[in-house]
Amino acid sequence: MQSKGSYRLVAQLGPMPGKVYELTKEVSTIGRDLRSDIAVNDAEVSRTHARLAAQADGYLVEDLMSTNGTYVNGQRLTAPKLLRPGDILGLGETVTLQFELVPEPGAAPTVAQSSPAPAMFSMPTPDYPPSGQAMPAPPPISEGAPEPEPKKRGPMFWLAVGCGCLTALACLAGAIALGVYLWNAPPEFWQSIGLG
């Protein structure tokens, strides 16, 4: 490994955003299995998902035939690839980790050129005003505003309700009368309609 510092992975998306995984071994495994050096408990991550191997100027990442794939800056790995500071390592489509260089104490800080996040991992940017302009003030909240009065029902409303009820009762009475008549109908009636 390089003498100018150490490397780490910082979770961007996934079950534990912000979690830091220090890379201290020559070879580290990533997977859902708790025995992995970097255990990530996410359904998109295979039990043994990927392997990291220390190189002179970074870490070589290799996909271990994972179900949902390993990505570097949005490109699915088909062969091992060298990670450089600022690269985004993706495990499936729901977990992303940023590869970072941690300078040694006293060393001049290295500014990592962060690669743009691929489209499938990008987050929408909020619509802020141009720099130098103030954010618009939110609309004032009126406290104790009177609630609107409920709409009063006029006489026409109640007339319509009454007519509806009377119509329903008339239909019910007619149905009962017809049922009583048919129940007590003489046999000649049933013969006249072909049911006797």
Side-chain angles (χ1 to χ4, degrees), residues 6-10 20-23 98-102:
S6 60
Y7 293 100
R8 67 185 183 182
L9 290 171
V10 180
V20 176
Y21 301 95
E22 301 291 345
L23 300 176
Q98 183 161 12
F99 183 67
E100 295 181 355
L101 170 65
V102 182

Side-chain angles (χ1 to χ4, degrees), residues 147-172:
E147 293 193 18
E149 290 185 23
K151 190 174 180 182
K152 294 185 179 177
R153 310 283 188 204
M156 292 304 290
F157 171 80
W158 295 112
L159 181 64
V161 169
C163 288
C165 290
L166 286 175
T167 304
L169 285 173
C171 289
L172 182 61

Side-chain angles (χ1 to χ4, degrees), residues 27-91:
V27 177
S28 300
T29 57
I30 303 174
R32 198 174 66 242
D33 192 325
L34 294 177
R35 292 173 293 187
S36 301
D37 298 308
I38 299 171
V40 181
N41 187 15
D42 187 275
E44 287 270 315
V45 179
S46 295
R47 286 173 48 117
T48 52
H49 197 102
R51 179 185 302 126
L52 294 168
Q55 304 294 306
D57 54 351
Y59 267 81
L60 196 67
V61 61
E62 176 186 5
D63 183 74
L64 298 177
M65 297 175 57
S66 64
T67 304
N68 296 306
T70 302
Y71 298 80
V72 174
N73 300 327
Q75 300 295 314
R76 188 166 185 160
L77 292 184
T78 55
K81 182 172 178 60
L82 185 65
L83 285 175
R84 300 199 180 275
D87 282 349
I88 301 292
L89 177 64
L91 309 174

